[in-house]
Amino acid sequence: VLTRWASSFSVTRSKNTVLEAVGRSVSTARPSTGKRPKKPLDKKAGNKDCKADIAFLIDGSYNIGQRRFNLQKNFVGKVAVMLGIGTEGPHVGVVQASEHPKIEFYLKNFTAAKEVLFAIKELGFRGGNSNTGKALKHTAQKFFSLENGARKGIPKIIVVFLDGWPSDDIEEAGIVAREFGVNVFIVSVAKPTTEELGMVQDIGFVDKAVCRNNGFFSYQMPTWFGTTKYVKPLVQKLCSHEQMLCSKTCYNSVNIGFLIDGSSSVGESNFRLMLEFISNVAKAFEISDIGSKIAAVQFTYDQRTEFSFTDYTTKEKVLSAIRNIRYMSGGTATGDAISFTTRNVFGPMKDGPNKNFLLVLTDGQSYDDVRGPAAAAQKAGITVFSVGIAWAPLDDLKDMASEPRESHTFFTREFTGLEQMVPDIIRAICKDFLDSKQ
């Protein structure tokens, strides 16, 4: 394992700087200015202007070594105190990256700065490779659950501290974090030297892991020594609520309208399989008044709005409404149905913050033109997926689907095949959502 003792034992550093950095306490007292003191922050509530759920992902590898690990803890402690931790302010937890990631404490464990500071001081150095990618993925997937203290509607942030570079792939972990709505920051300390660059799997790893490659989510410190001046600028970034672009995800920021073929060729039992498919897609999304929304329209020659986007704001009610849809039976006018849905169901949502998706499910040939209505829907900002079953002609399906048509067209011979499509449809919606945000 490559260690980086050279940079930490640089001869040019004076001993005093090191001792000062290690021994400096985390007091936030300011010298008296003779002015009337500001109203003190409500200690218990914390800084209400900085509502965030933050995981500090610290480097516990042999790369950093025990001595710089302690300096890192000291710095993280100062950041935690300055954030203004409290019940209604920021909540923090710590994960240590080493050979295997370890969640040291969760958001729910401490709500006072003093407790957090003590917990950080007590952290033991683990050693091993700096598998930052593995630790980042683990943190994005496991750390922010409601039972571990994550709060609804509050930005989720992972601050990754990196001494040098990761020893594994970090790009995939960054993608996973974005899918989970986590804002990834990378604080890199002591960049790799020229001779060390050969050890780095991907020199552009920072840009690929952060929430957005716009400069805001990366932060550079030259060394772990004398880091006090870097505390405040980092805290200001972490408290910039409006900059947390990754808090919005495909799971909590989409409107999905289902257009369901209720024609005679479907039949009652196959119609139930279609409803089951719709339920399974809807289940994946975070449905709420501020989150994702679901609507459903059934069509034959006529159209019937089963429920619109504003009718139900909980997942339970949406799933119950889907179960209660009654089969109509009749002809197939898919083009008319697309026009009806664009106008009546998506029309009222057009200026809303969510991205709009329409899933058209049909088992046969339409009696009318689908191309014109589908093009109009897409022009209105709706991404169209076509899901064909049995006798649905591929040309019709492709004519309805958004570009690139291959990735927006799905087909199965049997109604029972709908079940296998669910994960692919969800992934396709998320991919479109991420692409539209880049």
Side-chain angles (χ1 to χ4, degrees):
V1 175
L2 178 66
T3 53
R4 305 175 44 117
W5 298 115
S7 61
S8 66
F9 284 108
S10 168
V11 191
T12 56
R13 312 231 178 266
S14 75
K15 257 186 203 158
N16 297 348
T17 325
V18 178
L19 290 171
E20 179 196 27
V22 178
R24 194 181 284 120
S25 82
V26 190
S27 160
T28 51
R30 292 188 184 84
S32 166
T33 55
K35 289 179 188 164
R36 183 180 293 178
K38 269 188 181 169
K39 228 170 91 177
L41 186 73
D42 177 352
K43 271 277 173 56
K44 266 196 138 148
N47 180 7
K48 293 178 190 173
D49 294 333
C50 182
K51 268 194 174 10
D53 285 344
I54 304 170
F56 291 116
L57 179 52
I58 61 172
D59 191 338
S61 67
Y62 289 137
N63 231 20
I64 192 169
Q66 176 77 61
R67 185 156 170 254
R68 291 205 306 273
F69 178 75
N70 289 339
L71 292 173
Q72 175 185 223
K73 287 201 302 185
N74 192 17
F75 178 72
V76 173
K78 289 176 185 174
V79 171
V81 168
M82 191 174 263
L83 278 168
I85 294 162
T87 49
E88 291 170 57
H91 291 181
V92 306
V94 171
V95 182
Q96 187 172 167
S98 58
E99 202 63 44
H100 302 290
K102 185 190 178 200
I103 294 174
E104 300 284 1
F105 59 90
Y106 286 105
L107 296 162
K108 66 175 181 186
N109 293 133
F110 311 110
T111 50
K114 263 202 304 222
E115 296 169 342
V116 168
L117 199 55
F118 182 74
I120 291 170
K121 279 186 174 159
E122 292 294 294
L123 298 176
F125 175 59
R126 290 171 66 80
N129 275 328
S130 64
N131 288 332
T132 313
K134 188 176 175 183
L136 177 55
K137 196 172 175 181
H138 181 77
T139 309
Q141 291 173 322
K142 303 277 191 283
F143 183 85
F144 293 101
S145 65
L146 295 174
E147 54 271 30
N148 291 329
R151 295 168 289 178
K152 272 189 171 170
I154 284 178
K156 302 194 262 286
I157 301 171
I158 300 177
V159 185
V160 181
F161 291 93
L162 246 185
D163 187 281
W165 65 91
S167 56
D168 62 348
D169 174 37
I170 199 168
E171 183 178 3
E172 191 209 340
I175 293 169
V176 169
R178 288 192 286 280
E179 280 191 356
F180 276 83
V182 177
N183 299 276
V184 176
F185 274 81
I186 296 217
V187 178
S188 43
V189 186
K191 277 183 175 168
T193 61
T194 320
E195 56 274 22
E196 288 166 346
L197 278 175
M199 310 286 293
V200 184
Q201 280 190 25
D202 182 354
I203 293 169
F205 67 84
V206 171
D207 286 345
K208 288 176 181 170
V210 289
C211 163
R212 285 285 184 282
N213 171 14
N214 60 4
F216 179 79
F217 293 93
S218 44
Y219 194 66
Q220 171 67 35
M221 301 198 304
T223 161
W224 286 112
F225 299 100
T227 53
T228 306
K229 61 179 174 289
Y230 298 105
V231 175
K232 193 175 178 186
L234 181 58
V235 167
Q236 283 168 337
K237 281 192 175 217
L238 299 180
C239 291
S240 303
H241 208 290
E242 69 292 344
Q243 299 266 20
M244 299 301 160
L245 305 173
C246 285
S247 298
K248 289 287 180 195
T249 71
C250 64
Y251 299 111
N252 65 21
S253 309
V254 295
N255 299 324
I256 305 173
F258 292 98
L259 187 52
I260 315 157
D261 187 342
S263 61
S264 312
S265 54
V266 172
E268 183 74 51
S269 61
N270 286 335
F271 188 74
R272 290 285 127 209
L273 290 172
M274 283 162 92
L275 295 184
E276 208 171 295
F277 164 80
I278 291 166
S279 289
N280 288 334
V281 173
K283 253 180 219 162
F285 294 88
E286 292 168 30
I287 300 161
S288 73
D289 53 341
I290 56 164
S292 290
K293 294 174 174 56
I294 306 288
V297 173
Q298 186 179 173
F299 72 96
T300 55
Y301 282 139
D302 292 320
Q303 306 84 29
R304 184 171 78 200
T305 303
E306 302 291 355
F307 57 92
S308 68
F309 288 121
T310 48
D311 287 346
Y312 304 112
T313 53
T314 69
K315 194 178 293 190
E316 291 68 33
K317 285 184 176 159
V318 164
L319 297 177
S320 163
I322 294 169
R323 271 195 305 275
N324 290 325
I325 292 175
R326 295 285 157 256
Y327 174 47
M328 283 164 74
S329 188
T332 313
T334 316
D336 269 356
I338 294 173
S339 299
F340 172 88
T341 309
T342 303
R343 191 172 57 249
N344 298 303
V345 178
F346 285 97
M349 310 305 284
K350 73 170 188 297
D351 297 322
N354 287 3
K355 185 163 167 53
N356 290 321
F357 291 91
L358 174 64
L359 264 70
V360 182
L361 278 92
T362 180
D363 83 324
Q365 176 104 40
S366 175
Y367 292 122
D368 60 359
D369 168 57
V370 294
R371 191 178 294 180
Q378 288 162 36
K379 207 173 165 193
I382 303 164
T383 301
V384 181
F385 283 94
S386 56
V387 180
I389 310 127
W391 301 279
L394 200 56
D395 287 350
D396 267 16
L397 298 175
K398 286 197 167 161
D399 282 345
M400 290 189 280
S402 287
E403 294 284 354
R405 301 204 164 171
E406 286 63 41
S407 57
H408 291 84
T409 306
F410 291 84
F411 179 79
T412 173
R413 285 250 161 262
E414 306 288 336
F415 280 86
T416 48
L418 284 169
E419 197 186 333
Q420 279 85 54
M421 272 186 203
V422 172
D424 296 333
I425 298 261
I426 294 163
R427 201 167 296 130
I429 290 171
C430 284
K431 185 183 183 313
D432 273 14
F433 179 86
L434 279 177
D435 289 349
S436 74
K437 295 290 170 204
Q438 292 304 352

